[in-house]
Amino acid sequence: MPQVKDNYLDEFDDSREFSIMCLSPLDGRYARKIKELRPFLSEFGLIHFRVMVEVKWFLKLSEIAEIKDFPALSEDARSFLKGIVDNFSLKDALEVKKIEQKTNHDVKAIEYFLKQKCQSCPEVAEVLEFFHFACTSEDINNLAYALLLKESLNTVIFPTMVELYQAISSIAKANAHIPMLSRTHGQPASPTTLGKEMANFAVRLGNQGRIISGVQILGKFAGAVGNYNAHKVAYPSINWPRIAEEFVTSLGIGFNPYVTQACFFKNKTWNPNHYLRQKKGKTKITWNMFIRPRLIEPHDYISNLFYGIIQFNSILIDFDRDIWSYVSLGYFKQITKPGEVGSSTMPHKVNPIDFENSEGNLCLANAVLSGLAMKLPISRMQRDLTDSTVLRNIGVGLGYSLLAYLSAVQGIQKLQVNESRLKEDLEHTWEVLAEAIQTVMRRYGIPEPYEKLKELTRGRAVTKDSLREFTESLELPEEAKLELLNLTPHHYTGEAENLARAVDDAIDSMTGFRIR
């Protein structure tokens, strides 16, 4: 697997002149914030992973004993080829682009680049035509995209998701005991704690992160129309489906055998049921591997992956909006930085800009990711190229997602709880105890408790004294009555504190999210 080197990020630092002329703010204003994604999701990244797939396939062919025309490569030759992948540079990528200007075909340009590059290694130069052997462009592309997705998620996106989860979880535990007025339908409701409300979001995000991590990245390698046609003509005795599976799984990707209605396994028809019988108990089989026969890798897993990220993003939008509202209510203050300006005309303002930026970028991310998720599983007949231009926007959807996560984390770090404001709201909403009183009345069989409290509280100003007077008039056991008389909105929080403190028991994020 190619490693991301520190100097890649330095090479990608764009000049101010370039950045200010970009159409996308991801490559302009926000370029430095998301530059860790660029070695994976830029065109450089795509070219790099294509080169890796081509070289690894070349090496795999050299290991097949039945291919007498391609003798096993020496360690020196293998090391030379691996070096092309490991030391791939911007200069190399630009050379590929230069070749593409002539070929007008991006994958063929990779093949020609490798043939040029390998002229200096005599052993490889003798077997150059085994580059791209029996391959179609989609064989290379689907694996390259699978790899760049897996690596960008595991290396950049998931660690930031975990950082976000842990930041919210920390707020939950630190403020587990701080009472807060709830609002349902925007109206005062039974009190909670600030920590419990933060724990709700932490657990939701953690659960969704686990769901995303469970998506299996798949790849196919079955030739032009998925039947191993060219493979079988060239070397009829080789078990090409088995070779393809070995190759794809060696890349750390799940093998998708179902890219057509039937493949050929030696001299027998190789169908999904046969495959299921063979593999049952050895690998995890999911039904979506066998739905809708297609001759390209159908991208269904990409749709599943992006819908999972869309849901994660939607939960975070909910969080951003709630924090924005709590800042507006004064429940949170924001730590200021010297020199920062909140408003161009109102000096007192400290705007919740980080959460606003997060929400806005999440909306853009979800728009792009939902477009990709809906489009990619659809292709005309055996193949069309509508997915080619669409796939190039993966970096846009994930880039806006990453930008939003970073903004939310930055905003969380500026928050300070304003306990006096939280207490003030509770002190002015004694009516929220109506739920507690009518529930105890039910326990002791007092008729129409809900209706009596409704008459007392609905549309009327309720004070500590008026509620106390009502409670004292009830025919309740003295112990129950005393408990209600001592109850305040600040203490009517149920198990909220315990739930908030136990947030890490609900989701174990310490091991992180990761696609295996």
Side-chain angles (χ1 to χ4, degrees), residues 359-403:
E359 179 184 342
N361 286 312
L362 288 167
C363 289
L364 288 169
N366 281 2
V368 173
L369 293 174
S370 63
L372 289 165
M374 288 187 291
K375 162 66 198 88
L376 288 175
I378 301 169
S379 182
R380 293 174 181 85
M381 302 180 78
Q382 282 71 44
R383 180 74 168 112
D384 72 14
L385 280 176
T386 53
D387 65 328
S388 177
T389 188
V390 171
L391 281 165
R392 292 177 182 276
N393 291 278
I394 286 175
V396 179
L398 294 182
Y400 278 118
S401 296
L402 178 62
L403 187 59

